[in-house]
Amino acid sequence: MSKFLIAGNWKMNAGLEEAQNLCEELSGRLKGIEITNEVLICPPSISISTVVKGVENISVKVGAQNVHFEDNGAFTGEISTEMVKGSGCTHIIVGHSERREFFHEDDQTVGLKTKKIVDSGLTAIVCVGEKLDQRNNGDQESVVMNQLDAVLNSITRNHAPNIVVAYEPVWAIGTGETASPEQAQSMHLFIKSLLKERWGSARADEVKVLYGGSMKPGNAEELLSQLDVDGGLIGGASLDAESFSEIITIAEKLS
Ligand code: PGA
């Protein structure tokens, strides 16, 4: 089995001091544990350098939560892929539902950003997922297919090693409500079939599909045990060093 990717999305939490404290606590808890899976933390951009330094003694990578699709220029408030890369990041989250909803990112923008990220050699964690009414109408697969196709159309199968997909049902994000292991497995299988159809099996197999939406120590084992769940994108529980290290330990146990 390929390695899990356990990724923490701190969202707009943890400035310099809190980021440093969190890294110290996490380093303390993970010291002595052999981490064979990939572990990633995505702090707010202001805290990236602090976290890069804070995790240098443990096997944890650092990612960003967003970038612009241009290289530089008059885009007040934005940061570029090269800036993120230069600060020591390996991954960038793109198309998170909060960015789609509050910052009006559409599928086309998500496609442009993804292309910029993979062209720079970084890995894009592409978030897809349906809203509650879409699931209630039985439209979850068509919603996810459209979101994913917008990305796949902007890159090629050769970019597969630099793509991770995160299935995050919007109704499960930050709500305490989680997709059932069966719902997660079924959507992950659908995403992988779609990737196979578009890119062929060999390339599709290189893409990890993460689950995100209220993953925590209490439900991580059953979610990560599903055949097509290759890891987690974890918001709330990643801000607590004890919970996050517990999830990392659970993933190690299942590996
Ligand atoms: P949550 O967030 O774990 O707090 O639900 C997940 C995410 O939005 O990436």
Side-chain angles (χ1 to χ4, degrees), residues 48 52 61-63 83-90:
I48 286 175
V52 168
K61 297 176 180 176
V62 183
M83 291 173 192
V84 165
K85 193 175 172 180
S87 64
C89 289
T90 52

Side-chain angles (χ1 to χ4, degrees), residues 130 135 167-173 175-188 211-216 219 222-223 226:
E130 80 286 356
R135 176 162 282 267
Y167 169 54
E168 300 207 307
V170 179
W171 46 273
I173 296 178
T175 58
E177 199 172 325
T178 319
S180 69
E182 295 74 28
Q183 285 172 323
Q185 167 56 25
S186 150
M187 184 58 89
H188 283 229
Y211 169 79
S214 301
M215 187 184 270
K216 45 186 180 273
N219 59 27
E222 53 177 4
L223 286 162
Q226 301 304 306

Side-chain angles (χ1 to χ4, degrees), residues 9 11 96-98 168 172-175 212-215 233-237:
N9 174 10
K11 309 192 180 185
H96 190 283
S97 62
E98 287 151 15
E168 300 207 307
I173 296 178
T175 58
S214 301
M215 187 184 270
L233 183 55
I234 300 143

Side-chain angles (χ1 to χ4, degrees), residues 38-56:
E38 254 186 306
V39 178
L40 175 76
I41 294 175
C42 301
S45 52
I46 193 109
S47 303
I48 286 175
S49 305
T50 302
V51 175
V52 168
K53 213 168 169 330
V55 297
E56 63 191 3

